[in-house]
Amino acid sequence: MPGMMMQSQLTLTEVMRHAQANFADSEIVSITADNPQHRYTYSEAFERSAQLAHALQKLGAAPGDRIGTLAWNDYRHFELYYATSCSGLVCHTINPRLFPEQITYIVEHAEDRWLFIDPMFVPLLEALADRLGTVRGYVILTDSDHMPDTSLPDVHCYEELLALQPTRFDWPQLDESTAAALCYTSGTTGNPKGVLYSHRAMLLHTYGVLLPDVFALQSHDAVLPVVPMFHVNAWAIPYAVPVVGAKLVLPGPRMGCGETLTRLMQREKVTIAAGVPTVWLALLKYLRENDDTIASLDRVVVGGSACPWSIMEEFEQRHGVYTHHAWGMTEMSPLGTFNPRVAGSVPAGEARSLRLKQGRAAFGVEMRIVDEQGQSLPRDGVAYGALQVRGPWVCERYYRADESALTADGWFDTGDVATIDARGYLGITDRTKDVIKSGGEWISSIELENFAMTLDGVSEAAVIGIAHEKWAERPLLLVVPKPGADLDTGAILAAFGGQVAKWWIPDDCILVGELPHTATGKISKRDLREQLADYRWPAEADV
Ligand code: ADP
C-alpha cells in the first residue's frame, strides 16, 4: 500500500528556497583574487544566482549541459553551484591543479559547454583552448575593472553578464534524480573518471553531513571549508551551511597559507573548519612560529588522508580545538565515516587509538570488508580486507561508462584496505595499491606514518614499499624534518622498537626536504615510488 505523504522532490533548489526564506541575513564572507574582504548575505547570493541562471540561458545553455568551473572557494563559485544545478544544468567543478593534459581530457570527456574561470587560470586555459572543441566560450570570474587581456575566444566578464539580469528566476521543478554536479577523480591510475551526483544524492548527503555526530552544524557556527570547491563540492559544505543558516567563510586562492587562515579565522570568528592534514600542518606551523591563537575555533574536521596524532594533539593542547577524523572519497560525495567526540570518561590511551581511526559510518552508508574471494570478514577490529560500501550517495556508474562500477552483488569497492571493529569504527590500513606486502603479510603504511609523525622534529612522513630480494617488499620511511631539527635516521628507526611489530619496522629511513603531493594535497605515493625507482636497500647496495 503506498504511503500518503507528499512526493516532494529532494533537490538542491529546496536548500536555496529554505535559506532565502529563513536566513536571508546570514553572511557569506570571501577572499577573492580582486577583493580581500567580500561580504554579503544569503539573500544577495541567491539573487545573484538567479541573475546568473538568466545569463546562462542567454548564453544558450540547455538542460543537462555541463558548465565547467576552474575556481577557488569564493562567493562567485557559490553562486555558480546553485545557478547551474538548480536550473537543470550540471556544475562541473574542475581541479586546476591537475596536469594540463588531464584538464583537457576531463573537459573533452565531460563535453563542457562553458567554462567559468578565475582570472589566474586564464593563461592555463589559453594554452589549452585550441583543444577544447566542445567549449563555446569562457566567463572570467571578475568585474570589468579586473578583466585580464586574453586571447581566449568568446570571452565574457562575469559581473557584466549578471548586471542587467532580473534577480528572480523561475526555478524549474526538477526530478530528484536529475544530475546536479560532476567531479572527476584525480586519476592516479589511468584516466580520471567522472562521478555524476544527482540532486537526491546531494540532498541526502547534506542531511548526513549535518547529523549531530557528524558536522553538527548550527545557525551560530561560522564554517570555513579549507577543502576546495573544485573537489567533491568542498565536502558538501556549500550545501550544508545554508540549510542551517550558518556563516560561510570562503578563503579564496590562498587557502594553503597559515597566515591567511589565521587572520580569516580571527576576523570572522570561525567555529569549525574542514581540510586535509597538509593544510592543518601549515596552519599549526604558522601559529607555533608566530605565537598566535585562534580562540573562536571549536573543532576541525580532518580527512582526505590519515590524520596524524601530532595534529590532533597540537590542536587540542595549544588551541583547545577538537579534531574529528573523517573518511570518504569522490565516489561517496564524499562522506563515508566520521569520528564523533570521544566521551571524556574514556581513558586517554583508548581515546587516542579510537580517534586515530576514521570513525563510524554516517547513517546512509553501509560498509563491509571482504577477503580476496569476496567473502565478508568479521567486524572485530583485527581482520582486514577490501572495504566496500553502498548507499544513496555512492556512485553506481561512472559518467559515460557502459558498465556498472559495482560488484556483482551491488557494492562499491573503495580501493581501500581496512578493519571494522564491533562498535563500527573503521580503521583504514592503506589504499590497496599502497599496501606493503612483506613475506606474504601486510604492513600498514598509515600506522607507520602515524607513529613517525609523533617523533620530535618530524614535520611529515611517508612509508612506501620497496622491492626486496628476500621479503618481496619492505617498508622504506621518508621523513621531512621540521626547520632546524637535527634528526638522526638511526634514532628514528630505533624509536619504532616496541611500538610496532618488529617485522613492521622500516628497513631504512631517508631525510628529504619535501614530499610530493597530489592535486588534492595528499602525499603522492605514486610520485614517491617513481622518484625512488633506483633506490636500493643499504645491504644490497653494499654487495
Ligand atoms: P578526496 O580527495 O576527497 O579524499 P579521493 O576520492 O581523491 O577523495 O580520495 C579518497 C581516498 O582518500 C580514500 O579512498 C582513502 O584512500 C583516502 N582517504 C580519505 N580519507 C582518509 C582518512 N581519513 N584516512 C586515510 N585515508 C583516507
Side-chain angles (χ1 to χ4, degrees):
M1 183 170 38
M4 295 188 177
M5 309 308 276
M6 291 189 188
Q7 292 287 336
S8 307
Q9 298 297 298
L10 304 177
T11 67
L12 295 171
T13 318
E14 299 314 316
V15 174
M16 185 168 60
R17 285 210 178 100
H18 178 75
Q20 248 175 332
N22 299 288
F23 311 116
D25 294 338
S26 294
E27 281 183 320
I28 298 178
V29 182
S30 321
I31 297 178
T32 67
D34 53 40
N35 185 348
Q37 192 175 336
H38 179 275
R39 185 182 298 273
Y40 70 173
T41 62
Y42 281 6
S43 161
E44 289 167 278
F46 292 125
E47 281 178 8
R48 281 169 52 91
S49 292
Q51 291 182 300
L52 176 54
H54 282 291
L56 282 160
Q57 270 186 347
K58 288 240 158 74
L59 291 175
D65 276 356
R66 273 75 64 210
I67 307 298
T69 68
L70 285 106
W72 295 105
N73 292 15
D74 68 33
Y75 67 102
R76 293 189 180 109
H77 208 175
F78 179 88
E79 292 160 6
L80 269 160
Y81 266 40
Y82 285 91
T84 50
S85 302
C86 299
S87 64
L89 304 168
V90 179
C91 184
H92 175 205
T93 53
I94 303 165
N95 184 341
R97 293 187 189 139
L98 293 173
F99 292 120
E101 305 78 61
Q102 288 176 310
I103 294 177
T104 308
Y105 173 87
I106 288 173
V107 172
E108 290 205 311
H109 190 265
E111 298 176 323
D112 289 327
R113 287 281 175 263
W114 288 90
L115 291 184
F116 283 68
I117 58 176
D118 270 343
M120 68 182 67
F121 302 126
V122 166
L124 172 72
L125 268 302
E126 281 174 343
L128 304 179
D130 282 353
R131 285 143 66 193
L132 306 180
T134 63
V135 176
R136 289 196 189 138
Y138 299 81
V139 180
I140 315 291
L141 293 161
T142 191
D143 55 23
S144 47
D145 289 347
H146 296 88
M147 267 301 273
D149 282 335
T150 172
S151 63
L152 281 173
D154 300 308
V155 177
H156 297 265
C157 163
Y158 184 82
E159 292 300 334
E160 282 177 15
L161 266 189
L162 259 61
L164 299 172
Q165 304 302 329
T167 53
R168 284 177 177 273
F169 185 80
D170 195 8
W171 300 104
Q173 239 342 306
L174 297 172
D175 184 284
E176 63 186 21
S177 60
T178 307
L182 175 64
C183 179
Y184 280 71
T185 60
S186 334
T188 44
T189 47
N191 279 326
K193 292 189 283 255
V195 180
L196 188 62
Y197 308 108
S198 65
H199 277 266
R200 175 187 148 85
M202 289 298 90
L203 201 72
L204 291 173
H205 178 263
T206 298
Y207 275 110
V209 164
L210 286 167
L211 285 171
D213 262 346
V214 188
F215 276 64
L217 298 184
Q218 294 184 310
S219 55
H220 59 250
D221 275 316
V223 189
L224 174 69
V226 197
V227 280
M229 287 172 73
F230 56 69
H231 188 60
V232 214
N233 307 318
W235 299 356
I237 291 171
Y239 305 135
V241 175
V243 169
V244 297
K247 173 153 81 168
L248 184 60
V249 183
L250 299 171
R254 289 177 54 77
M255 56 195 267
C257 165
E259 182 175 5
T260 304
L261 295 179
T262 304
R263 296 289 159 263
L264 202 53
M265 285 179 174
Q266 290 171 340
R267 197 183 70 203
E268 302 305 329
K269 303 206 168 19
V270 168
T271 56
I272 169 167
V276 296
T278 354
V279 303
W280 303 130
L281 287 174
L283 174 70
L284 290 168
K285 178 167 180 275
Y286 175 82
L287 293 169
R288 202 184 314 123
E289 287 175 358
N290 294 278
D291 203 16
D292 215 337
T293 52
I294 34 169
S296 59
L297 195 66
D298 172 55
R299 57 209 193 274
V300 292
V301 180
V302 189
S305 43
C307 181
W309 180 248
S310 53
I311 289 185
M312 299 193 189
E313 200 174 34
E314 190 165 349
F315 261 128
E316 200 149 322
Q317 290 184 357
R318 285 181 63 110
H319 305 288
V321 173
Y322 195 91
T323 37
H324 292 281
H325 198 186
W327 164 85
M329 63 193 310
T330 309
E331 288 89 337
M332 297 181 72
S333 301
L335 177 65
T337 61
F338 197 93
N339 208 320
R341 216 174 266 257
V342 175
S345 53
V346 176
E350 200 185 314
R352 174 179 163 155
S353 51
L354 208 56
R355 291 181 58 189
L356 282 171
K357 294 197 174 196
Q358 279 70 11
R360 287 172 150 155
F363 174 67
V365 175
E366 217 184 327
M367 309 190 293
R368 70 174 186 186
I369 45 171
V370 299
D371 64 16
E372 278 165 22
Q373 284 72 46
Q375 294 301 311
S376 272
L377 292 164
R379 293 163 78 101
D380 59 5
V382 179
Y384 51 83
L387 175 62
Q388 300 185 342
V389 292
R390 62 182 183 189
W393 59 74
V394 178
C395 167
E396 185 176 282
R397 192 153 55 95
Y398 290 105
Y399 184 51
R400 293 182 59 190
D402 296 329
E403 287 171 12
S404 156
L406 307 184
T407 62
D409 56 352
W411 291 76
F412 181 84
D413 195 300
T414 62
D416 286 331
V417 176
T419 60
I420 304 177
D421 72 16
R423 290 174 296 178
Y425 277 83
L426 175 76
I428 300 280
T429 309
D430 257 312
R431 299 219 75 166
T432 317
K433 55 185 185 301
D434 295 335
V435 154
I436 302 166
K437 228 169 176 180
S438 169
E441 296 284 343
W442 284 2
I443 295 175
S444 163
S445 62
I446 291 184
E447 264 189 57
L448 295 176
E449 287 159 5
N450 276 344
F451 177 70
M453 291 287 290
T454 64
L455 301 174
D456 275 350
V458 173
S459 161
E460 227 181 342
V463 175
I464 55 167
I466 296 273
H468 190 282
E469 223 169 62
K470 179 167 176 199
W471 300 107
E473 255 186 352
R474 289 292 302 153
L476 170 68
L477 170 66
L478 295 114
V479 164
V480 181
K482 283 187 180 155
D486 185 18
L487 292 180
D488 172 56
T489 55
I492 293 177
L493 293 175
F496 279 83
Q499 303 292 329
V500 298
K502 204 165 165 210
W503 58 276
W504 277 38
I505 300 177
D507 284 18
D508 195 9
C509 171
I510 304 176
L511 301 180
V512 291
E514 59 177 0
L515 290 167
H517 289 92
T518 66
T520 51
K522 306 179 198 195
I523 294 172
S524 170
K525 300 248 172 130
R526 186 180 65 163
D527 288 343
L528 258 187
R529 280 190 284 265
E530 266 171 29
Q531 284 174 12
L532 289 155
D534 296 331
Y535 173 87
R536 296 181 66 199
W537 293 111
E540 291 179 353
D542 290 346
V543 175

